[in-house]
Amino acid sequence: MISLILFLVFTILLIINLPIALAIIFATLVTMLFTIDTLPAITTIAQRLAVGIDSFALLAIPYFILSGYLMGQGGIAARLVNFAKTLVGRLPGGLAYVNVISCALFGSISGSSVAATSAVGGFMIPAMEKEGYNRPFSAAVTVTAATTGMLIPPSNILIIYSLASGGVSIAALFIAGYLPGILVALLLMLACALYVKRNKIKPLEKEAIDPFWPSFIGALPSLLLVFVIIGGIIGGVFTPTEAGVVAVLYSLILSVVIYRELKISDLYPILIKSVITTSIVMLLIGSSSAMSWLMTYESIPQDISQLLLTLSDNPLIVLLIINLILLVIGTFMDMTPAVLIFTPILLPVVENLGISPLHFGIIMILNLSIGLCSPPVGSVLFIGCSIAKVNITEIIRPIIPLYLAMIAALVLVTIFPAISEFLPTLLGLI
């Protein structure tokens, strides 16, 4: 009954379009009133809001958010696109592959799918249209490819999963995301290749591609950020939180001093945007902490775990069911609250079946990444449509093969844990 009240109230509040953080808080409060007196319920929620964000690991999030905004406006995306052109631009339909690679590179550096969609899509979508691609397909490629930044580190959502899971190593999660992220990018490129063959898209003209070494040297400072951040974390030079500070300083120097795409006067609005985004994320974390506490208090995760385990004791069947649940959740709930709410519910289920929290974390993030480019809530989808100036109805048909590519990657990562665990095991992180 408590579970029914909690999720029913939460769903109703989402339907009436209440901001999701407030929906979580009010649903938790209403449910608590059935089990706890009014004053203790309000006090408990206030305490959980404070305790939920009282974590040293979360200090990394505002720094990575700020570095993502700096990179988005600092000329990094243009240099990554030029470098990607030198790699695959001479292939038939090379601009589609350039789009995927650029989004993956920029997403891995900025840690933001929204930033990748905005920064890369802003000039890749018009460029692809000029070369014979239709605009909805170009937008679909950008939208789906931008989600690889959720897997390839540094990624804020992996830090949030570490918190929600009770302390899975952030360094291990960062390294675990590389191969799945690359797999998604490769399968998206395969889907693009089928489109290119069907529509007989020609390669770029040789004059449209910069020489390799100048473009590589231009992109090298941006690419080095990944090695600095990840190498520093793995080598024990600094913690993930300190890595966020390094990312801010590096991207600031890169954008203002080296590339000179940002002026000092541009920093104030960037700081304001970072503060607003950080506030939203932290409120979501705090409110989700209150709901997670209530679910634990009422043994909801244990009840759901027992229910799922009665359906099958085969890990693959249970993971299939969980993946279907998460695919549905991802279509109407943003990734951050979904991770915070459903990790405590679903993680005990998979742990009882011998599946590692690391592997499950990558499955969950990859799964919910599909929701970022799915209606009705997909934030990346709406941003991509806005940049491309197309309606969602126009993008649905060209995005379906790309959806199938992402789902194929999800199936492979689910079935083969080594895709997630090979690199962390090789580096001694697990």
Side-chain angles (χ1 to χ4, degrees), residues 82-87 90 209-219:
N82 286 336
F83 176 58
K85 282 183 180 179
T86 66
L87 296 177
R90 291 181 174 83
I209 303 174
D210 293 338
F212 175 81
W213 287 111
S215 63
F216 173 71
I217 292 171

Side-chain angles (χ1 to χ4, degrees), residues 177-195:
Y178 272 111
L179 292 183
I182 293 170
L183 176 64
V184 173
L186 289 174
L187 290 177
L188 288 175
M189 291 173 70
L190 178 60
C192 290
L194 297 176
Y195 175 91

Side-chain angles (χ1 to χ4, degrees), residues 6 15 174 192 237:
L6 178 63
I15 291 173
F174 276 8
C192 290
V237 178

